[in-house]
Amino acid sequence: MPYSPLLIKPFREELTSIGFVELCTADDVDRAMKDATTGTTLVVFNSVAGCAAGTARPGVRLALDGDAKRPDRLLTVFDEQDIEATAKMRSYFPDIPPSHPSIALFKDGELVYFIPRHRIEDRDAESFAADLRSVFNEFGQ
């Protein structure tokens, strides 16, 4: 069941304020992924989970502030909130079980890297950001 929009507004803004495009419907996801056939696209499955607040969102912010190659597109869906959009985004990699928060990196429309919740929780934002920078540098252009 979705949380109050007022409660999650700061969680959404933590990503949109740094350039993420929020995808709220299945059509939004299809349009965005149609544009993601060239270059790199970072997708963050946002969440109210504690590791989203303590590691995932802060780690993403730090990684993007660093000197790593930056993904061409930054997209986000909010798991357990924008249910239709989240399901549609997951349909782009159906063999990977749902996980939130989680992070997907696409290159030229193909999923090249996925970070599930269990690789985010119990970490600090700085070490998570360092891992993300490595991924950006490996797959960036």
Side-chain angles (χ1 to χ4, degrees):
M1 180 166 165
Y3 290 90
S4 161
L6 291 174
L7 174 72
I8 64 166
K9 185 178 183 216
F11 304 150
R12 291 181 185 274
E13 290 174 349
E14 196 168 351
L15 294 176
T16 59
S17 70
I18 59 169
F20 277 82
V21 174
E22 191 168 47
L23 309 175
C24 298
T25 68
D27 288 340
D28 290 346
V29 171
D30 282 338
R31 277 190 295 276
M33 293 307 287
K34 183 183 265 188
D35 292 339
T37 57
T38 60
T40 54
T41 302
L42 182 68
V43 178
V44 174
F45 286 80
N46 203 349
S47 173
V48 297
C51 61
T55 303
R57 288 188 303 266
V60 167
R61 291 177 69 93
L62 289 168
L64 293 171
D65 283 345
D67 58 358
K69 296 178 184 177
R70 191 177 169 98
D72 299 310
R73 279 167 295 288
L74 304 173
L75 307 176
T76 183
V77 294
F78 207 114
D79 201 336
E80 298 181 317
Q81 298 305 122
D82 300 320
I83 295 166
E84 178 187 307
T86 300
K88 179 53 91 171
M89 184 58 77
R90 286 188 177 133
S91 76
Y92 283 88
F93 45 93
D95 295 335
I96 296 177
S99 181
H100 64 271
S102 58
I103 298 180
L105 183 69
F106 291 83
K107 183 170 183 171
D108 299 333
E110 298 293 322
L111 181 68
V112 293
Y113 205 85
F114 186 80
I115 304 170
R117 177 187 179 133
H118 74 270
R119 291 190 40 222
I120 298 171
E121 59 192 353
D122 298 326
R123 299 190 62 198
D124 62 76
E126 292 80 14
S127 66
F128 183 62
D131 288 352
L132 283 175
R133 284 186 204 105
S134 294
V135 170
F136 298 164
N137 286 329
E138 179 179 351
F139 294 103
Q141 298 176 271

